[in-house]
Amino acid sequence: MRRIGWTAGAALGALLVTGCGPDGGTGGGSSASPSVSASVSASASGQAKPSDPAASAASGTPGAFGREQAAADITAATTATGLPQPEEPATASPSPGQPVTAEGERRAEIFACMAPWQTMEPVEQPESAYAATVAVLEQRGWKIDGKQLQEDGLTQIKLKKEGWVLFARRYDFSGGKGPTTGMPDMLSFFASDLACEGRFTEADMEAALTEG
């Protein structure tokens, strides 16, 4: 389990540093604001639509829970709580016109094991929105695994569903002083397929996730 925690954290850092991502306190005990609660009640009960066989490549089983379903759960939960959606999903595919390399192909294979989501857009009540999003994920079948971690501005909780692990994170860059510092919180919901990740060594993961 240490490896999975490191992997999710490293991948998140790679998204921030390399620009693969589109953007770039306490959470467990807070209740959502009235507007967040209303959004949650309106759309939390929906279930991710099954993907076609190609979309379930990570599991190899048509209709099985895979990257498309994990991403759909995260999108549904963050939409229900009113979080701003990234314009494009994180991807490891080369830009148009760039040659396809062996390293690029391996990186794409590794990212196929993951469903990353993050935003640093200003959120009026990030603490409440974070807690409400975790609650919606629970309603969609994700089970909390272990206790909530809270240290050095990071609030994190781990959830699991059908062979996937999801790290829900909130980074308070203000040091507890609030958004008036001009630095909004970063909210991250990062899921990964345990079996898919198991095909790669830690050296593979580190090289792919830190590649500029």
Side-chain angles (χ1 to χ4, degrees):
M1 298 312 298
R2 285 187 303 174
R3 179 188 176 201
I4 296 304
W6 173 85
T7 296
L12 177 61
L15 292 176
L16 288 172
V17 173
T18 67
C20 290
D23 304 294
T26 59
S30 300
S31 59
S33 64
S35 59
V36 170
S37 298
S39 299
V40 170
S41 299
S43 56
S45 59
Q47 294 297 318
K49 295 180 180 179
S51 65
D52 57 30
S56 300
S59 63
T61 304
F65 190 86
R67 187 180 190 275
E68 295 295 324
Q69 289 84 353
D73 276 352
I74 296 170
T75 298
T78 52
T79 299
T81 54
L83 293 178
Q85 295 298 311
E87 294 182 3
E88 297 178 359
T91 176
S93 301
S95 301
Q98 289 186 340
V100 178
T101 63
E103 292 78 8
E105 289 182 348
R106 174 55 60 88
R107 191 163 185 260
E109 290 176 1
I110 290 173
F111 265 71
C113 301
M114 305 172 182
W117 188 102
Q118 69 181 41
T119 184
M120 282 190 68
E121 293 294 325
V123 176
E124 185 175 351
Q125 294 179 308
E127 184 177 351
S128 295
Y130 168 82
T133 302
V134 171
V136 178
L137 287 168
E138 288 187 90
Q139 292 177 17
R140 297 183 69 87
W142 292 86
K143 306 295 184 183
I144 290 178
D145 181 36
K147 296 182 179 180
Q148 178 171 275
L149 168 70
Q150 189 171 348
E151 60 181 17
D152 299 328
L154 167 65
T155 300
Q156 173 184 287
I157 197 161
K158 181 172 63 176
L159 304 96
K160 288 185 175 181
K161 180 178 179 179
E162 299 189 37
W164 281 68
V165 61
L166 188 155
F167 286 88
R169 292 184 171 103
R170 171 181 169 242
Y171 292 85
D172 179 4
F173 292 117
S174 72
K177 297 177 182 178
T180 56
T181 60
M183 187 70 168
D185 287 8
M186 185 177 75
L187 300 178
S188 168
F189 300 92
F190 191 107
S192 57
D193 183 340
L194 297 176
C196 182
E197 280 193 5
R199 306 190 340 248
F200 305 100
T201 66
E202 288 206 12
D204 290 334
M205 301 290 287
E206 185 174 3
L209 297 173
T210 59
E211 184 180 39

